[in-house]
Amino acid sequence: MRVRGWLLAISLMWASLGCHMFGSGKPDPRTARPTLAPPLPPVMSKARSQKSETALTGLPPVTLADGDVAVRTVAYVNNTPIFESELREMVAFRLREVMELQEPDRSRKLSEIHAAELEKLIEREVCMEAANVRLKKVGGKVMDELNREAAKECDRRIKEFKEQLKVKTDDELKQMFAQQGISISNFRRNVERSFISMEFMRNMIFPKINYIPLSEIQEYYRANAEDFAVKDKLKWQDIFLDASKFTNRESARRYANELAAHLRSGADFAKSAKELQKAGYNILPGDQGLGEKPGEIRPAELEPVLLKLSPGQVGGPVELPGGFHLVKVTERTYPGRKPLDSDTQNEIRNKLKNLLAEKEYRRMVEDLKSKAVIQRIENR
């Protein structure tokens, strides 16, 4: 695979794996397992200290990390450095966003991506530091369990990458990553670190917003009617009798009327369609109708007939130049509004929880950042 092609594939794969911190609202946010959004791989130099609480008196010595990348610091969060290699790898996963851009738009977009990904790294580090401080007070077992779950999450991500990129071994994936200056070990560290910090933040936030009053759910339902609109939709079956297979038009029409009566009496539509297809009278390859929504149904002449039918009803014959259609509606959704039943209430409840969680997350992160010593080094 060419570099451009696989980079696009891996970028799309990463986007599909990533998610916002609290999801869309449908899954139970207390049991979902997100990573820092979007979860991009941090690359930590082998020369980097593994203990963020250890004070650093200066930059690490220049060395080679992951083959050919010299260590350089782009920011500090308290005593923890963020290396240029980490930022470079995060940016690499978003290069598909600038592939088609021309200058100066390309440089401007790259600068925006660079700034955004640096902020995500900074946020990850302040959250990770808060997690370390809090969980040390709780005891080591909690952190051990988080580390195990983070490792499982990373294994799952690597497996999905390999499936999507159609590679069979870790060595093949490592080679593809290396073409863009990305290492598996650094990818693993970033996923695990992001997972731990985000799980910590979720467990800090969701207990505060566990209860959503029914009155707020009802108000959201009233204020966002368009979110619960149900459009006219149906699934249907089709038989088309080819008039040229009969001695004349009238005999074809007569047979179509007899067949319609037979189907209305309870005959199996799919079986009849298949038998007529084998006999050469029904020229359609299958019995499934084409199109599900008004304006999409083909042939268009069938739409007014179909929209008058209820599930289980047979319509036709509908005469067209080439022959006669007989149709049957199997499923029907009528236009209107989704009722405020228990399923809809749960959907709204989770959506409101996610909105509140995102807001609380931003508040907590900004508070942590305000208390941290953050130094951005503009020497890239």
Side-chain angles (χ1 to χ4, degrees):
M1 184 185 296
R2 293 180 301 174
V3 171
R4 179 187 176 92
W6 91 258
L7 180 58
L8 178 59
I10 203 170
S11 299
L12 292 171
M13 174 59 184
W14 187 258
S16 71
L17 288 175
C19 59
H20 290 293
M21 176 180 175
F22 304 110
S24 63
K26 292 186 179 179
D28 186 338
R30 294 165 297 179
T31 58
R33 295 186 179 279
T35 55
L36 195 59
L40 291 170
V43 189
M44 177 161 158
S45 161
K46 295 175 183 177
R48 174 175 176 171
S49 170
Q50 298 294 317
K51 298 180 180 181
S52 60
E53 59 268 38
T54 302
L56 298 178
T57 57
L59 293 177
V62 175
T63 182
L64 293 180
D66 303 320
D68 60 355
V69 181
V71 173
R72 189 151 59 89
T73 303
V74 293
Y76 281 96
V77 176
N78 293 329
N79 293 320
T80 303
I82 295 173
F83 288 102
E84 189 272 340
S85 58
E86 297 183 75
L87 182 58
R88 184 185 65 253
E89 292 198 15
M90 293 185 74
V91 171
F93 279 102
R94 294 184 60 183
L95 289 182
R96 66 185 178 91
E97 298 176 34
V98 302
M99 280 182 176
E100 307 302 327
L101 296 180
Q102 303 296 322
E103 295 296 350
D105 293 337
R106 180 183 177 87
S107 293
R108 181 166 59 248
K109 183 63 176 178
L110 277 172
S111 181
E112 291 173 359
I113 291 173
H114 182 279
E117 297 309 319
L118 177 57
E119 286 306 307
K120 289 172 187 174
L121 275 172
I122 290 171
E123 289 184 7
R124 188 197 71 194
E125 290 304 323
V126 296
C127 293
M128 192 69 191
E129 184 165 307
N132 281 325
V133 171
R134 183 69 173 259
L135 295 179
K136 278 183 180 179
K137 297 178 181 178
V138 176
K141 291 184 178 180
V142 177
M143 182 58 81
D144 290 343
E145 178 62 24
L146 268 177
N147 282 324
R148 283 192 292 270
E149 291 301 317
K152 291 178 183 178
E153 175 69 9
C154 188
D155 290 341
R156 183 183 70 81
R157 295 292 178 94
I158 290 175
K159 181 180 178 181
E160 291 188 9
F161 264 113
K162 288 165 69 175
E163 290 173 354
Q164 290 292 322
L165 296 171
K166 302 186 186 307
V167 298
K168 295 182 179 180
T169 67
D170 289 344
D171 286 341
E172 288 180 90
L173 185 63
K174 182 178 180 180
Q175 184 178 7
M176 295 181 77
F177 273 40
Q179 291 174 9
Q180 297 300 313
I182 300 169
S183 75
I184 293 289
S185 60
N186 290 333
F187 171 84
R188 176 176 288 278
R189 183 182 185 278
N190 190 44
V191 171
E192 292 178 358
R193 198 169 180 84
S194 297
F195 178 90
I196 292 170
S197 61
M198 197 52 62
E199 283 294 302
F200 169 75
M201 293 296 285
R202 287 167 61 84
N203 281 279
M204 292 294 291
I205 291 170
F206 275 105
K208 301 178 182 180
I209 58 172
N210 193 45
Y211 176 68
I212 304 292
L214 179 60
S215 58
E216 292 187 20
I217 294 173
Q218 293 171 332
E219 176 58 30
Y220 186 93
Y221 181 76
R222 286 192 295 267
N224 298 273
E226 67 282 358
D227 291 352
F228 307 100
V230 177
K231 296 182 179 180
D232 203 352
K233 186 177 179 181
L234 52 82
K235 291 185 178 181
W236 54 288
Q237 295 171 294
D238 191 10
I239 293 173
F240 182 65
L241 296 175
D242 184 356
S244 68
K245 301 297 182 179
F246 296 83
T247 55
N248 55 53
R249 190 79 176 183
E250 185 55 37
S251 63
R253 183 180 293 108
R254 185 166 52 252
Y255 184 86
N257 284 319
E258 292 173 358
L259 178 59
H262 181 60
L263 293 170
R264 289 190 180 100
S265 69
D268 188 292
F269 196 100
K271 183 178 179 181
S272 298
K274 188 174 183 180
E275 290 175 349
L276 288 165
Q277 197 269 340
K278 286 182 178 180
Y281 292 99
N282 174 21
I283 64 173
L284 299 179
D287 65 286
Q288 293 302 309
L290 180 60
E292 295 186 352
K293 299 176 183 178
E296 298 178 356
I297 294 171
R298 296 292 181 271
E301 291 85 351
L302 301 181
E303 183 173 307
V305 176
L306 286 165
L307 294 180
K308 292 178 182 178
L309 300 177
S310 299
Q313 288 187 321
V314 174
V318 178
E319 186 170 357
L320 293 179
F324 299 83
H325 280 273
L326 292 102
V327 296
K328 179 180 179 180
V329 171
T330 56
E331 297 180 24
R332 182 72 189 274
T333 302
Y334 294 93
R337 192 180 185 193
K338 188 186 297 185
L340 189 59
D341 55 17
S342 59
D343 288 340
T344 304
Q345 289 182 37
N346 285 334
E347 179 185 339
I348 296 172
R349 184 176 292 109
N350 283 334
K351 188 173 292 187
L352 290 175
K353 282 183 180 180
N354 290 332
L355 292 172
L356 289 172
E358 291 281 3
K359 184 176 181 180
E360 179 64 10
Y361 172 77
R362 292 299 342 149
R363 186 197 68 77
M364 289 180 65
V365 166
E366 293 305 317
D367 182 59
L368 290 172
K369 287 167 69 175
S370 70
K371 295 174 181 177
V373 178
I374 299 171
Q375 180 184 9
R376 296 170 179 82
I377 302 172
E378 301 295 335
N379 60 346
R380 59 187 176 89

